[in-house]
Amino acid sequence: MSLASSTRRKIAALGAVFTIGAVSACSGGDNAVPGGTGQQQQVAQSLIDRAPVASEAELASSPTAQAIKKRGELVVGSVLDTPLLSQQNPTTGEAEGFDALMSKMLAKYIIGDPNRKIVNGTPQTREALLINGTVDTVFMAYGIKPERAEKVGFAGPYFDSGTAIATLKTNNNITKASDLNGKKVLILSGSSAVEELKTVAPNTASVQQFQNTQEAVQALEQGRGDAFASDLVALAGAAYTDDKIKVASSNVFVPEAEGIGIKRDDNTFKKFINDWLKKIQESKLWQEAYKETFGKALPNVPEPPKIGGVPGT
């Protein structure tokens, strides 16, 4: 999504549907991994076991990384209520999802062990968490925007999002944006999809707006619309928890690069994280992490984003 208000809505809407209880922090522990039980947990553990560890020379390049290693714990601002991104497992108490797994691997890279603590934040508080030093990083589907880069720094991007399409699983006629021409499209009120649809499907018959993801999904199930256009992260989470819908295409209308939030002007830490991202991309760990999380609801695993390829990174 292309507006700050839309980004706030994207996570807030998911929270309204999937909240499982707010907590102030979730400690990772030395050997705990994001994921459920059985095979899922084993896969997560395998990814963490294979994740790289920074050399002494690499650590020496970043005072922030050295301080984190000395503390013995990476403190991460994130959410705990968004399926496939970062959600607290009610049985284990652990956070699981793409962000949860990525932050574990970053903790291992810095400390040598995947020791990290999640401070539960919101889109409204994440900048303050960085500015006042409450957290070291923010993993929170954090779109890289010029106005945000005036307050905080960004490493990455570490994945791409944007507006995509969901349909009922029984609908095989909509697989791309142009297929929305002449269809009834459901969107969230205030979403940037309102303007984007005018470009990608100028002959759209009608648009219905809803206040949150739950209402839109219910309308889709009831046949009041042909498709639901919303943020890819929100749609993936909705499809994962509702077996009646699917993400019809993970090709987004307008891409949004998501960054790892850090303190503004900490360029040595930015380079340190970007070097780590390049390593996990080259080793295919990024691709495997994506497949094991977002891949449970999205049809394709994309190529990793180009590191530093967005203004502000």
Side-chain angles (χ1 to χ4, degrees), residues 141-180:
Y142 205 173
I144 301 170
K145 306 290 185 185
E147 62 272 21
R148 293 174 182 164
E150 294 178 359
K151 300 176 182 178
V152 300
F154 288 101
Y158 73 116
F159 79 98
D160 292 322
S161 190
T163 304
I165 307 164
T167 66
L168 293 178
K169 282 187 174 178
T170 54
N171 186 335
N172 296 315
N173 297 320
I174 298 175
T175 60
K176 56 186 182 299
S178 60
D179 292 336
L180 297 177

Side-chain angles (χ1 to χ4, degrees), residues 173-236:
N173 297 320
I174 298 175
T175 60
K176 56 186 182 299
S178 60
D179 292 336
L180 297 177
N181 280 309
K183 301 296 192 298
K184 295 178 181 178
V185 183
L186 315 176
I187 61 173
L188 298 182
S189 178
S191 165
S192 59
V194 176
E195 295 301 318
E196 292 170 357
L197 282 170
K198 294 177 182 178
T199 300
V200 301
N203 298 320
T204 298
S206 62
V207 170
Q208 284 185 275
Q209 299 189 35
F210 296 86
Q211 290 301 309
N212 58 56
T213 297
Q214 183 180 32
E215 292 179 359
V217 168
Q218 287 177 343
L220 185 64
E221 291 180 353
Q222 293 165 0
R224 289 188 281 151
D226 300 298
F228 175 27
S230 189
D231 186 83
L232 183 61
V233 170
L235 295 183

Side-chain angles (χ1 to χ4, degrees), residues 27-34 45 48-49 72-74 94 101 103-109 111-117:
S27 297
D30 289 349
N31 299 309
V33 298
Q45 184 65 64
I48 292 172
D49 288 345
E73 183 177 64
L74 175 69
E94 270 297 305
L101 183 51
S103 63
K104 279 277 190 179
M105 289 196 285
L106 178 58
K108 182 185 176 184
Y109 187 66
I111 301 163
D113 291 301
N115 302 333
R116 68 98 169 86
K117 178 176 74 174

